[in-house]
Amino acid sequence: MAYGPTDAYEDGTVASPAADSAHSVVLANLVGGLEYHYQIPATDAVGGTTTTADATFIAALPDNDPPVISDVQVTPGDTSAVVTWTTDEPATSFAEYGLTGSFGDSVSSAALTTNHQLMIPNLAPETTYVFAVASTDAAGNTATAPGGTFATTAPAPTVLVSDEFDGLALDPAVWTFVNPFGDAAVSM
C-alpha cells in the first residue's frame, strides 16, 4: 500500500506479507485530522498485478478529552448504597468513599459503559459517608466528580411474633405444622 498526504504517496509503502485474499497493514506516524491518499497494488500467484484507484481517508484525531460525568446519584440502604452516574462516552467506573474526605475504601468496575452503577457494601447504619466518582475512557483519559455525602438509613425493625400459650390451642397464624415423614396429624 502506498500512502501520503498527496497522490504522490510521499510517506512510502507498506506491504502485507500474507499470501491470501485478506490483508491488513499498520500505518504509523499519521497526523490526526490530516487527509491521506492511498493506492493498493496486488499481485496474484502467477504474477498478474493490479492497482486500485487513488482513494483518501482522514486520520483519526487522538482522544485527549476525558469523559464528562453527569447525574451522580446515591441510593442508600442501611448497610449498603448504590451510586450511579452517566458519562458521554464509554468509560470505567470507580467510586471511593469513607467517613472523611480522605475516603479509605473504593469499589470499581473495568467494564466500559456510559451508565455506571456500583454497590458500596459493608456500611454502618445511620452513618454519614463522603464519596467521589471517577471514570476513565479507552484512551486513558480520567474524569473525577466530587459526589458529596450520603447517609445510610436506620435498619428495619426486627419483628418478633409470639404465641401467648394462654389457651388450650396453638395460634395457627404463628405456628406451622411440619410433618416430614407424612405419618402424623394435628387438630386445632
Side-chain angles (χ1 to χ4, degrees), residues 8 45 58 79 136 148 168:
I58 297 177
T79 60
T136 302
L168 297 175

Side-chain angles (χ1 to χ4, degrees), residues 4-73:
T6 70
D7 61 2
Y9 311 113
E10 303 89 340
D11 286 355
T13 61
V14 178
S16 173
D20 59 19
S21 61
H23 303 276
S24 67
V25 294
V26 175
L27 305 178
N29 302 317
L30 299 177
V31 176
L34 184 64
E35 180 179 62
Y36 285 87
H37 290 257
Y38 68 95
Q39 274 188 324
I40 303 172
T43 304
D44 64 19
V46 293
T49 62
T50 187
T51 302
T52 64
D54 179 68
T56 62
F57 67 91
I58 297 177
L61 292 170
D63 178 2
N64 294 321
D65 297 324
V68 175
I69 296 174
S70 60
D71 199 26
V72 179
Q73 297 183 19

